Amino acid sequence: MAVASKQYNLPILGMTCANCVSTVERNLYKVPGVSHASVNLSNERAAVEFDPGQADLQAMLARIRKAGYDVASGEARLQVQHLHDPADARRLDVALGALDGVLQSNINPVTGEVRIQYVPTITSEVELRAAAAQAGFELAAAEAGEDVEAGVRRSEIQKQRNLMWFSVLFTLPLFILSMGRDFGLLGHWAHAAWVDWLFFALATPVQFVAGWSYYVNGYKSLRNGSANMDVLVALGSSVAYFYSVALLLGLFTGHGYFETSAAIITLIRVGKYLEVNARGRTGDAIRKLMGLQPKLARVLRGGQEVEIPSAEVLVGDHVVVRPGEKFPADGRVMEGHSAADESMISGESMPVSKTPGDEVIGATLNKQGRIVFEATKVGKTTALAQIVRLVENAQSTRPPIQKLGDRISEIFVPVVILIATLTFLAWYFVFPASAPDATLTRALINTAAVLLIACPCAMGLATPTAVMVGSGRGAEMGVLIKSGEALERASGISMVLLDKTGTLTRGQPSLTDILLAEGQNEDELLRVAASVEHASEHLLGEAIVAAANERQLALAVPERFEALTGRGVAADMNEAQVLIGNVRLMNEHNITLGSLTAAGERLHADGKTAIYVAVDGTLAGVLGVADTLKDNAREVIDSLHRMGLKVGMITGDARGVADAVARQLGLDYVLAEVLPEQKAAEVTQLQAAGHKVAMVGDGINDAPALAQADLGIAIGTGTDVAMATAPVVLMTDDLRGVPKAIALSKRTLSTIRQNLFWAFIYNILLIPAAALGFLSPILAAGAMALSDIFVIGNSLRLRKVPLKS
């Protein structure tokens, strides 16, 4: 029997550029059993799919570390209950070691403490305690709400900040003294030999303390057969530093550049620190979603309300939620009435009424009354957890446009090193300066500038930062985008094809018209019809009864009821004979339709079902019943038209009904009387005619068309099959999410193109400028850092940019 593949989402440490991404991916693929690996520089995650029979976490971790990177891990320090002897310790160690995501556990039988190192994206402290409990031990709960991965990331940022300030502390006086001497501001003492040694003393800690990681990471990168930005930084700064050391030792004469080597490393340290901080904001949407989960829950245990961590709520628990509190899990209301604010999950701005039997969504807000609900989904199975997982997956996938940047980044550094070599040779041998010492100095400085300006960081960040921010904003609007590729596809759509029933319409018939014969009363006609139809199970009859209930009409019970297949119903009520049905039924009983004949035909032309009501052989009126349009359907079609898109409808309904709906909505294209299995074929034909088709649907029968379309958009209230098939899911039945999703996709792709353009143009213009001697190494290092920050800042604009449809 085939073994099902598994997926890990590994938090990677140490990546700095697109070359790092390709290095990590390449090494993951070297682990036997790994079938897919996709690394994202922006969120520093690696999505890995593998055969658990061949690959495991330790093998992946070893490969990543060998490549010079690491995986963020957390450490839990917990007290063990019921630990009596070393045999118990071994048994607990085995139980914890068998849990997926645990890297190492150390148990002290004397103190009763266990230290567990684990990968927080694979397992959690709750699961650690559950595994221990199964083995017969109890681990004391840790503080709730600590985000282990966030803690590791914060530690890294703190380290970067310390190195940055260390560099600034030494570089600032060095730079001021050096510039002051060069511009003649410090007097003769500044040219003494001891000042050069002071410069050396200030520059050396920067070069080998703050800059040491560039040597280490550059070496690891070269050892793995590639060259990343650390290679360029190490080469560029070393050229200036060691040249200055040679001057200091008297090997030859010339102008020293200690301030240049220190300033290069300091500027890049400042740039990377700002970049890391800005990059962290690209994942704000995910953090907002995860932060919605309340820390504590109040459950009924033995008739008492007991407060426990939300993560420990079990399926079947009865949970109490007071007004102003959040639901700690998904469930079904058992007691109480209230309204829930579900806006952060669904994008729905209006509170949703909750009564016994209604579903509640974990992390949404209880607005009014006290509610007791039964938990049906907890932990990783809640709607919120699945939304977070979908968005994370989308942020880990790469749209096709990123392949261009990746291909260029892979060959960029070797090409730059070649250009730098040619620059040195040209300035030293082809264009020598008048003084021999000046020739070497100029060649080295121009070479360093080429090395520093050419770092491909901005190219590596251009696409993933925009995809992260774009998909995150979609989640905030109630539009789930499952893949980065979907964002790119949506921007090229030329036609939107919508399913009718359940998508454009409500999917349930309702009473639309009451047309009276002369002398009849509207409420009385509806009361009679509803009293008879109350005994019927037909959908059209239910619509009539619902309309009567809305008017709070008192219904009677018929003495006799008979369903007439294909024609309608007959009943006796209050000694009168009532007939309700179609024209055929009226003709069979010689009922004269009179002036209402035209009214019935008009209802039919509008796509409605005409239901005639006769009492004691006389026609009393005609009722119009139809599957009505959703409130925002017309608004959505107009929005799509304003975006320059053609809008069509596909339905299995009769041509007349479909044409009537199309007229009301102003559709450009109607495909009627289409069998469910033919929907995908119709989409294929439109694609063959040159259209890029977005299909919007909600049913199982829409799934093939959703898969065939260039972009499938599923309605969130539809079937699980449709939502699993479509790469974009609207979390409510509000169609306004369709133009929002397309507008957001266009803006995201536009942002990606802007980012790539500026990343490329910056290199295209400044590499020749550096090679020709128009750019100093200090300015090159500053420009490189600024280009990264520009790309991230441009992507972050997506969080606020208006989405005009």
Side-chain angles (χ1 to χ4, degrees):
M1 188 173 67
V3 179
S5 62
K6 287 183 68 174
Q7 289 186 339
Y8 282 156
N9 203 339
L10 301 175
I12 306 294
L13 296 174
M15 294 192 298
T16 54
C17 65
N19 292 65
C20 300
V21 170
S22 57
T23 300
V24 174
E25 280 184 358
R26 193 169 58 251
N27 279 276
L28 283 170
Y29 274 118
K30 288 179 181 176
V31 178
V34 170
S35 56
H36 177 74
S38 177
V39 179
N40 186 313
L41 178 60
S42 292
N43 61 8
E44 297 173 286
R45 294 283 185 90
V48 190
E49 187 170 344
F50 62 99
D51 178 354
Q54 299 184 56
D56 59 26
L57 179 60
Q58 295 291 352
M60 294 178 207
L61 188 62
R63 200 73 223 184
I64 291 169
R65 285 175 173 165
K66 187 177 180 183
Y69 306 91
D70 207 345
V71 171
S73 61
E75 184 181 84
R77 299 178 63 171
L78 304 170
Q79 282 299 127
V80 188
Q81 306 291 327
H82 316 304
L83 188 67
H84 302 297
D85 53 40
D88 281 349
R90 284 194 295 275
R91 193 155 56 86
L92 178 59
D93 189 47
V94 170
L96 292 172
L99 187 65
D100 210 8
V102 171
L103 300 174
Q104 189 178 15
S105 63
N106 290 307
I107 304 167
N108 188 330
V110 178
T111 62
E113 183 184 79
V114 57
R115 292 185 178 189
I116 311 165
Q117 189 183 10
Y118 64 100
V119 179
T121 53
I122 300 177
T123 190
S124 65
E125 287 193 9
V126 173
E127 289 170 293
L128 295 174
R129 291 199 298 276
Q134 279 195 338
F137 302 96
E138 184 178 340
L139 302 184
E143 290 287 329
E146 176 64 17
D147 185 334
V148 176
E149 185 187 350
V152 176
R153 301 283 185 202
R154 276 196 300 274
S155 174
E156 282 293 311
I157 292 174
Q158 179 68 40
K159 181 181 173 185
Q160 292 267 357
R161 183 165 52 224
N162 293 341
L163 287 171
M164 178 191 74
W165 285 116
F166 178 86
S167 300
V168 169
L169 183 67
F170 284 90
T171 302
L172 196 59
L174 170 60
F175 191 79
I176 292 172
L177 286 172
S178 179
M179 291 298 105
R181 184 173 72 173
D182 289 351
F183 286 99
L185 303 175
L186 299 179
H188 293 294
W189 64 268
H191 295 275
W194 67 268
V195 176
D196 290 330
W197 283 100
L198 175 62
F199 288 176
F200 168 77
L202 290 170
T204 300
V206 178
Q207 189 72 30
F208 297 110
V209 178
W212 184 247
S213 63
Y214 296 115
Y215 288 108
V216 174
N217 295 335
Y219 165 73
K220 289 178 179 176
S221 173
L222 293 173
R223 190 184 62 187
N224 283 285
S226 66
N228 62 11
M229 68 156 280
D230 294 327
V231 175
L232 299 179
V233 174
L235 281 174
S237 61
S238 295
V239 165
Y241 177 82
F242 287 109
Y243 170 75
S244 302
V245 170
L247 290 177
L248 188 65
L249 297 176
L251 299 180
F252 46 84
T253 59
H255 186 284
Y257 287 94
F258 281 124
E259 86 286 354
T260 300
S261 65
I264 287 169
I265 290 175
T266 301
L267 279 171
I268 291 173
R269 281 282 173 213
V270 172
K272 294 309 291 182
Y273 173 66
L274 295 176
E275 177 193 317
V276 168
N277 272 307
R279 194 194 295 172
R281 289 160 56 199
T282 60
D284 280 354
I286 288 286
R287 280 188 288 278
K288 279 183 185 176
L289 286 173
M290 296 178 72
L292 289 175
Q293 189 73 39
K295 307 300 181 202
L296 298 172
R298 196 176 291 107
V299 299
L300 294 175
R301 299 273 168 86
Q304 300 292 319
E305 291 185 12
V306 180
E307 202 166 67
I308 62 172
S310 296
E312 296 183 4
V313 174
L314 303 174
V315 172
D317 271 343
H318 285 200
V319 186
V320 179
V321 183
R322 295 171 180 166
E325 294 179 345
K326 292 179 178 177
F327 296 98
D330 294 359
R332 186 180 301 105
V333 177
M334 307 297 291
E335 298 175 25
H337 296 75
S338 184
D341 178 357
E342 299 179 345
S343 57
M344 276 302 290
I345 295 291
S346 66
E348 171 61 54
S349 58
M350 298 298 293
V352 182
S353 174
K354 299 296 176 187
T355 57
D358 287 341
E359 304 285 340
V360 295
I361 306 172
T364 59
L365 181 66
N366 179 24
K367 298 279 287 186
Q368 295 174 343
R370 177 182 182 273
I371 273 184
V372 179
F373 78 92
E374 180 183 4
T376 55
K377 293 180 180 176
V378 299
K380 294 178 179 178
T381 64
T382 62
L384 177 66
Q386 293 183 51
I387 290 168
V388 169
R389 190 159 54 248
L390 281 174
V391 177
E392 284 181 339
N393 287 342
Q395 293 176 343
S396 296
T397 61
R398 297 187 201 181
I401 193 171
Q402 189 170 339
K403 294 177 182 174
L404 174 65
D406 288 351
R407 281 199 299 270
I408 292 176
S409 295
E410 286 178 5
I411 62 171
F412 203 69
V413 175
V415 169
V416 167
I417 292 174
L418 177 63
I419 293 174
T421 304
L422 293 175
T423 298
F424 178 84
L425 295 175
W427 282 106
Y428 192 79
F429 293 107
V430 182
F431 306 107
S434 55
D437 291 344
T439 297
L440 179 60
T441 301
R442 194 172 61 182
L444 288 173
I445 292 303
N446 290 342
T447 301
V450 170
L451 289 169
L452 292 167
I453 197 63
C455 176
C457 301
M459 288 183 216
L461 291 168
T463 301
T465 53
V467 169
M468 280 189 72
V469 179
S471 56
R473 184 169 181 193
E476 290 177 343
M477 296 189 306
V479 178
L480 277 184
I481 299 166
K482 293 183 185 173
S483 71
E485 186 174 351
L487 278 170
E488 187 168 341
R489 282 186 176 186
S491 66
I493 294 302
S494 61
M495 169 176 270
V496 180
L497 201 59
L498 298 107
D499 169 53
K500 175 181 155 289
T501 306
T503 301
L504 284 170
T505 66
R506 299 178 191 280
Q508 289 186 334
S510 59
L511 184 69
T512 58
D513 301 85
I514 302 177
L515 306 171
L516 300 173
E518 188 174 349
Q520 298 294 320
N521 177 275
E522 190 172 290
D523 280 351
E524 179 58 18
L525 173 67
L526 182 57
R527 189 189 70 81
V528 170
S531 296
V532 173
E533 292 288 0
H534 196 259
S536 167
E537 295 179 349
H538 198 281
L539 281 176
L540 299 180
E542 290 179 2
I544 294 171
V545 174
N549 289 336
E550 280 184 13
R551 297 190 185 195
Q552 298 183 334
L553 301 178
L555 304 186
V557 178
E559 291 90 23
R560 181 185 67 86
F561 177 86
E562 181 182 4
L564 305 170
T565 305
R567 289 166 293 166
V569 298
D572 292 337
M573 194 172 68
N574 298 332
E575 300 181 354
Q577 183 189 45
V578 181
L579 295 172
I580 302 177
N582 54 20
V583 174
R584 181 182 166 192
L585 179 65
M586 298 298 116
N587 290 338
E588 286 177 358
H589 291 79
N590 298 317
I591 307 293
T592 302
L593 301 183
S595 61
L596 291 180
T597 303
E601 292 173 351
R602 191 170 62 251
L603 290 174
H604 181 71
D606 290 340
K608 301 174 182 176
T609 302
I611 302 174
Y612 297 86
V613 182
V615 180
D616 282 339
T618 302
L619 186 67
V622 185
L623 304 177
V625 176
D627 183 7
T628 54
L629 296 174
K630 288 183 177 175
D631 292 338
N632 302 311
R634 179 72 202 214
E635 175 192 340
V636 168
I637 304 304
D638 290 344
S639 294
L640 293 171
H641 278 149
R642 284 196 298 274
M643 295 168 76
L645 304 174
K646 288 189 175 299
V647 187
M649 181 178 70
I650 187 166
T651 178
D653 273 0
R655 168 62 63 179
V657 175
D659 287 342
V661 172
R663 281 196 300 274
Q664 293 179 61
L665 292 174
L667 298 175
D668 306 303
Y669 200 89
V670 177
L671 294 167
E673 299 174 354
V674 178
L675 295 174
E677 60 271 23
Q678 293 175 336
K679 286 188 174 180
E682 295 287 354
V683 172
T684 303
Q685 286 187 18
L686 289 171
Q687 290 171 321
H691 290 291
K692 292 286 185 183
V693 181
M695 172 72 197
V696 186
D698 68 328
I700 294 174
N701 59 351
D702 295 324
L706 290 171
Q708 173 61 39
D710 297 284
L711 177 71
I713 302 177
I715 305 295
T717 53
T719 61
D720 290 343
V721 173
M723 288 189 283
T725 304
V728 175
V729 176
L730 308 183
M731 296 175 65
T732 68
D733 64 349
D734 189 344
L735 282 176
R736 287 177 294 185
V738 175
K740 280 181 184 175
I742 294 174
L744 176 63
S745 301
K746 287 187 174 183
R747 290 305 303 238
T748 303
L749 189 64
S750 170
T751 301
I752 291 173
R753 286 174 173 152
Q754 290 169 11
N755 288 348
L756 286 174
F757 171 79
W758 288 110
F760 282 124
I761 201 72
Y762 144 84
N763 283 295
I764 289 170
L765 294 178
L766 294 186
I767 287 177
L772 294 172
F774 296 122
L775 195 68
S776 77
I778 294 175
L779 290 177
M784 188 198 80
L786 284 176
S787 70
D788 296 352
I789 296 168
F790 170 81
V791 163
I792 296 172
N794 195 41
S795 299
L796 287 171
R797 289 173 59 241
L798 278 170
R799 298 191 305 173
K800 302 292 182 187
V801 73
L803 298 175
K804 295 179 181 176
S805 57

